[in-house]
Amino acid sequence: MMPRPRNATPPPSRAALKLGAHMSIAGGHDRAVRSAHEFGFETVQLFTKNNNQWKAPPLTDDQVDAFRRALDETGVVDPVSHTSYLINMASPDDALWKRSIDAMVVEVERCARLGIADLVVHPGAHVGSGEAAGLKRVAEALDRVVEATPDAAVTIDLETTAGQGSCLGHRFEHLRDVLALASEPARLGVCVDTCHIFAAGYSLDDRVRYDETLDDLDRTVGLGMVRVWHLNDSLRERASRVDRHAGIGVGRIGLEPFRFLVNDPRFRSLPMILETPKGIEEGEELDARNLRILRGLVAS
């Protein structure tokens, strides 16, 4: 079963945006949906299991029903899941690589059960084996995952990374190469993280540089492969190769790149997910503040 297409490009308007945030599943997967709705988000991202553990008990019918009911009752759409950070599909270690494949199969199956169409994953780290070997390893792992889940209506979205250590995905060409090597690229997509690409060296700070970066993305992987955006400012400077998220407009990226993004008609049908710090400042929840700022950037 193929995942839903994301080809529609609605006219720019506030209502067309699908802004969301990563929300906790403490108390149930449905709590993430309801929390997003309480803030006024249109979409949500969540883990389907404890992200720091390999295993998880199977989903129950009650958990699935509660999650789907929460979506129906709140109107939250296009939920996105993120995989465990333990997974490393680029690992040269056979035991870890196979364990990562098994974990990915479980993640895909859990998404399919919940009705989540997009699963975001970091490509992985080559740990000294080299970029070419690591990228080939990722593609082979994805082939095995897709082969093991032929009926899952779930797209696996490779996320851009900041490039810390030997992590792959900090160049658009890395994602291009994995997509080219994979046997079934139709089951794959891309998630672009603003903090990550900025930390990796891509510039977004004025209209010319924004367009150049998007043209580079289009030339390598194709804008049609982008299914999710992560909207995060960066605590560190451009090309730092350090992944440290900040609230919208309070980091080194600034407001203008986010203004370009939320008004770009090419992405108006896509989930745009905040992974910014949580908490309360000056009496306002930070998720609410970031949502307010992003909506304030939308052209009337």
Side-chain angles (χ1 to χ4, degrees):
M1 184 182 296
M2 294 303 299
R4 69 186 187 285
R6 288 231 175 100
N7 299 324
T9 304
S13 71
R14 289 173 185 259
L17 277 175
K18 294 177 184 175
L19 297 175
H22 190 101
M23 292 292 179
S24 170
I25 60 170
H29 299 80
D30 57 304
R31 285 307 312 157
V33 176
R34 297 192 186 279
S35 295
H37 176 67
E38 288 166 7
F39 279 106
F41 289 113
E42 292 84 14
T43 188
V44 67
Q45 180 178 279
L46 63 150
F47 297 119
T48 67
K49 54 180 283 297
N50 187 318
N51 67 300
N52 289 316
Q53 295 182 7
W54 285 103
K55 295 183 178 181
L59 291 167
T60 66
D61 290 342
D62 287 345
Q63 288 174 317
V64 173
D65 291 345
F67 180 76
R68 296 193 177 200
R69 185 166 60 251
L71 292 174
D72 290 340
E73 292 175 357
T74 62
V76 169
V77 298
D78 293 349
V80 176
S81 179
H82 198 296
T83 66
S84 166
Y85 296 122
L86 299 174
I87 291 171
N88 183 6
M89 294 186 293
S91 176
D93 179 87
D94 284 339
L96 177 56
W97 187 68
K98 291 175 182 176
R99 194 174 194 185
S100 296
I101 292 170
D102 292 342
M104 278 295 297
V105 170
V106 170
E107 297 264 14
V108 170
E109 290 174 342
R110 291 173 76 87
C111 284
R113 185 96 195 277
L114 290 165
I116 296 174
D118 282 275
L119 175 63
V120 175
V121 62
H122 296 178
H126 64 74
V127 200
S129 64
E131 289 187 356
L135 294 170
K136 182 179 179 182
R137 198 79 156 161
V138 174
E140 291 175 354
L142 289 168
D143 284 348
R144 295 196 184 194
V145 174
V146 168
E147 183 179 0
T149 59
D151 298 322
V154 178
T155 300
I156 300 170
D157 299 327
L158 298 168
E159 183 176 352
T160 58
T161 66
Q164 293 187 174
S166 65
C167 288
L168 301 168
H170 60 279
R171 306 308 303 167
F172 296 152
E173 287 81 2
H174 290 176
L175 305 185
R176 176 202 62 195
D177 291 349
V178 172
L179 294 171
L181 289 167
S183 297
E184 293 195 50
R187 285 281 304 273
L188 306 178
V190 169
C191 169
V192 184
D193 186 304
T194 54
C195 171
H196 295 174
I197 64 173
F198 179 79
Y202 292 98
S203 184
L204 300 163
D205 58 350
D206 63 29
R207 189 73 219 193
V208 171
R209 293 187 180 92
Y210 174 86
D211 288 341
E212 287 175 348
T213 294
L214 269 293
D215 287 346
D216 194 5
L217 179 63
D218 192 29
R219 177 181 56 80
T220 49
V221 303
L223 296 185
M225 294 299 292
V226 179
R227 291 181 60 88
V228 179
W229 278 90
H230 283 169
L231 303 188
N232 304 304
D233 210 324
S234 174
L235 284 177
R236 295 294 299 271
E237 65 278 6
R238 185 170 71 88
S240 66
R241 301 276 292 264
V242 177
D243 179 9
R244 295 291 183 273
H245 296 187
I248 303 299
V250 300
R252 298 296 187 94
I253 296 178
L255 283 177
E256 286 307 292
F258 297 101
R259 188 191 309 276
F260 301 147
L261 270 172
V262 298
N263 290 291
D264 194 326
R266 295 171 294 184
F267 307 122
R268 295 303 287 263
S269 64
L270 305 186
M272 294 184 168
I273 306 293
L274 290 162
E275 295 178 319
T276 44
K278 306 282 188 181
I280 299 176
E281 286 186 5
E282 299 177 350
E284 185 178 26
E285 290 272 3
L286 292 179
D287 276 340
R289 175 182 296 179
N290 287 313
L291 177 59
R292 172 174 57 78
I293 290 171
L294 286 172
R295 285 188 173 153
L297 297 175
V298 180
S300 61

